[in-house]
Amino acid sequence: MASIKQRPDGKWRARYRDDTGKEHARHFATKRDGQRWIDENTAALVTGTHVEPSRARMTLGEWADVWIRGYERNRASTVRQARVHLRVIVADLGARPLRAVRPSEVNTWVASLAARGYAQSTVYALHRRLSQLFTDAVHDGLIPRSPCSRRTSPPAAKQRPYVATTEQVWALHDALPPHFRPVVLLGAFAGLRVAEIAALRVSDVDFMRGIITPAVQYPGEPLKSETSKTPIPIPTELAVMLNANPVEWGSDTIVVGAFGRPVAPYTIETAFKDVRDTIDVLPEGFRIHDLRHYFASLLIAAGLDIKTVQARLRHASAKTTLDTYGHMWPDRDESSRAAVAAALRPSVPDERLDFA
């Protein structure tokens, strides 16, 4: 139901009811403007893209405040990362009404981030967060469509991981204090992430059977995904080495500090950085996480197939494994030629195979 009437002061009062029965009204200087407003909103009701006028005036900054409160149900580390992204987004675009942001403006913003020196991976992450904000705004009925899409997205940073040599891995191991040496063992020979390393408990390791089953990450939070709980088989030699701290300190965790107590990832990373610079040829930014790349290279060099490597790295999909480590698999051109040749020879006369 909609109508437009002229008031005694000459203004035109246009009104309509939305699909919930709520009435919306505005005043216009001309009847034509009022009728256009009614027509636009009536068409939006029919197509399902109607947004309540009072909510349509919400700015991106106001929506970010609402959005983050609902997002706080996630892990604390995930929320902290989101807040870092929101600070940049709100500083640049927070004053803009949600409905007013256009794809061209998103493109300009992405270009400005790169021009201001943000890393390619950071620009990509910021755009993803902005897209998440707008997608959720659409779902909440604040805007009819998002200005973010593949067309506005910057390319994702693709960098081949640095793979340390076996000599460098053992040099890192020997350079660390004895109570921190399991950090290298767990990263390079079991593929654990630093938050998993810090939280790994003695009860998570079956020393007799040689199996590590990660259960939590520091500080006692759920793992990154259900796939992260996949058991990791380890050799007896590694199990014996990992048992050194529990035997010496009677600790509940595999990695301990100088006094046999559990430590945070920050403490582990600080100790790791202190010795990293003493190892020849290692890049300045080499991280504990890069030990996972060494672990992956070991498995691939041993001839393990993609699904097995995926399982050992506890990736959610084989695509992640291939995207990161696909270049490490050996070239199979000659193997494929040999396979085809073996199928051809029984049915092709020898003279047809003689190209001389």
Side-chain angles (χ1 to χ4, degrees):
M1 177 181 176
S3 65
I4 183 167
K5 293 182 179 180
Q6 191 171 28
R7 293 168 52 85
D9 62 1
K11 294 284 185 69
W12 291 86
R13 182 176 185 271
R15 66 186 183 91
Y16 71 93
R17 292 186 183 275
D18 61 25
D19 47 11
T20 67
K22 183 176 180 179
E23 182 179 283
H24 304 281
R26 277 187 62 183
H27 294 88
F28 297 89
T30 66
K31 184 177 182 179
R32 177 181 297 176
D33 291 341
Q35 190 61 54
R36 183 185 300 114
W37 180 76
I38 290 175
D39 293 342
E40 289 173 353
N41 282 282
T42 301
L45 285 168
V46 172
T47 59
T49 59
H50 179 265
V51 178
E52 184 179 329
S54 61
R55 302 185 73 194
R57 292 190 289 272
M58 180 179 283
T59 65
L60 180 55
E62 292 169 341
W63 170 238
D65 290 338
V66 174
W67 181 86
I68 194 63
R69 289 198 292 272
Y71 195 72
E72 286 176 346
R73 68 181 183 276
N74 292 290
R75 293 197 305 265
S77 58
T78 303
V79 176
R80 282 196 299 271
Q81 185 182 53
R83 288 189 180 278
V84 170
H85 293 161
L86 290 183
R87 279 198 292 271
V88 178
I89 292 171
V90 171
D92 292 345
L93 302 170
R96 299 285 290 135
L98 278 172
R99 289 175 64 88
V101 179
R102 297 289 181 264
S104 57
E105 188 171 0
V106 175
N107 278 328
T108 301
W109 176 68
V110 168
S112 74
L113 291 173
R116 282 146 55 187
Y118 284 96
Q120 185 178 358
S121 58
T122 303
V123 176
Y124 181 77
L126 287 168
H127 180 273
R128 284 194 63 181
R129 187 70 66 187
L130 182 68
S131 179
Q132 187 179 17
L133 281 170
F134 276 112
T135 299
D136 288 349
V138 172
H139 182 71
D140 209 46
L142 294 174
I143 52 176
R145 63 184 63 85
S146 171
C148 298
S149 66
R150 290 183 180 180
R151 291 187 176 186
T152 64
S153 176
K158 290 186 178 180
Q159 182 177 358
R160 288 190 173 184
Y162 180 85
V163 178
T165 65
T166 299
E167 291 74 18
Q168 289 171 332
V169 168
W170 284 114
L172 283 167
H173 173 272
D174 295 342
L176 284 167
H179 57 274
F180 276 149
R181 287 175 182 171
V183 171
V184 173
L185 299 177
L186 291 169
F189 303 114
L192 267 65
R193 305 170 178 93
V194 65
E196 297 168 343
I197 292 172
L200 189 69
R201 302 165 299 194
V202 175
S203 59
D204 298 329
V205 183
D206 187 329
F207 295 97
M208 294 296 293
R209 296 171 57 214
I211 297 176
I212 296 175
T213 308
V216 294
Q217 63 179 339
Y218 187 88
E221 294 183 351
L223 292 174
K224 184 177 180 181
S225 67
E226 284 298 311
T227 311
S228 296
K229 298 178 182 178
T230 303
I232 307 164
I234 60 172
T236 302
E237 296 86 347
L238 180 56
V240 171
M241 297 175 76
L242 292 176
N243 201 28
N245 277 343
V247 168
E248 180 175 354
W249 297 99
S251 59
D252 293 328
T253 56
I254 298 298
V255 176
V256 298
F259 302 101
R261 298 173 182 171
V263 289
Y266 175 79
T267 305
I268 294 173
E269 288 172 336
T270 300
F272 187 84
K273 290 176 183 176
D274 288 342
V275 303
R276 178 190 63 197
D277 297 335
T278 68
I279 310 302
D280 290 341
V281 190
L282 270 183
E284 183 178 347
F286 190 83
R287 309 159 299 163
I288 294 173
H289 192 83
D290 292 322
L291 294 172
R292 270 173 63 85
H293 304 325
Y294 173 81
F295 179 57
S297 73
L298 276 184
L299 303 181
I300 294 169
L304 274 64
D305 61 85
I306 179 64
K307 291 300 292 183
T308 304
V309 176
Q310 174 198 347
R312 296 297 172 266
L313 290 171
R314 296 166 295 130
H315 284 154
S317 72
K319 182 180 183 302
T320 301
T321 310
L322 278 173
D323 286 348
T324 309
Y325 303 111
H327 65 284
M328 292 185 182
W329 264 273
D331 188 350
R332 298 296 187 187
D333 284 353
E334 292 305 319
S335 298
S336 64
R337 287 193 184 100
V340 174
L344 285 173
R345 290 187 185 279
S347 59
V348 180
D350 290 343
E351 62 270 15
R352 294 185 62 182
L353 292 174
D354 184 6
F355 296 103

